[in-house]
Amino acid sequence: MAQAGLRGSRCGECAVTVYPADDACPRCGRATSEVTLSSAGELWTWTVQRFAPKSPPYAPPPEGFRPFAVGYVELPEGVRVAAVLDVGDLDSIRIGMPLRIEPATGVPRAVPIEGAR
């Protein structure tokens, strides 16, 4: 099944593209048009969150807090999207690894693309 892209926006005046979509360009302030961005890209940078975020808004899962990775995924359009990295092994994370972004309520989630590279 084909993955729908992410909903972003592009400025017709200065060509800045952003995610998530916004009605106004962050560079020049002019109106933007909605665009569909790729849902796959490469890991640009990342870090591991090793302590529980403040509650609320964070709600720890029933099994308790576990460290997790967050990073920026660079899409072919040049947009970098912040996402939680859903990986089985934090030691397997590498800059440039191919990831697919899955939109979610709040922060998007990114999963490794199996068989890539």
Side-chain angles (χ1 to χ4, degrees):
M1 177 166 98
Q3 176 80 15
L6 302 172
R7 185 177 158 265
S9 58
R10 180 173 296 127
C11 178
E13 188 68 29
C14 68
V16 166
T17 304
V18 298
Y19 174 85
D22 196 344
D23 293 337
C25 175
R27 180 182 291 160
C28 70
R30 292 193 170 86
T32 61
S33 300
E34 187 173 312
V35 294
T36 300
L37 302 171
S38 302
S39 59
E42 293 184 349
L43 185 61
W44 185 72
T45 193
W46 62 280
T47 191
V48 174
Q49 175 78 25
R50 297 194 185 276
F51 57 90
K54 184 177 179 181
S55 285
Y58 175 74
E63 63 275 6
F65 174 78
R66 296 175 62 162
F68 61 93
V70 293
Y72 281 98
V73 179
E74 186 167 39
L75 303 179
E77 296 87 355
V79 177
R80 294 180 186 139
V81 177
V84 173
L85 307 180
D86 287 330
V87 297
D89 177 10
L90 295 175
D91 291 332
S92 70
I93 301 171
R94 299 287 180 263
I95 299 289
M97 70 186 293
L99 297 165
R100 184 180 67 252
I101 298 178
E102 299 174 346
T105 301
V107 178
R109 305 198 66 98
V111 296
I113 298 173
E114 298 299 323
R117 282 200 209 188

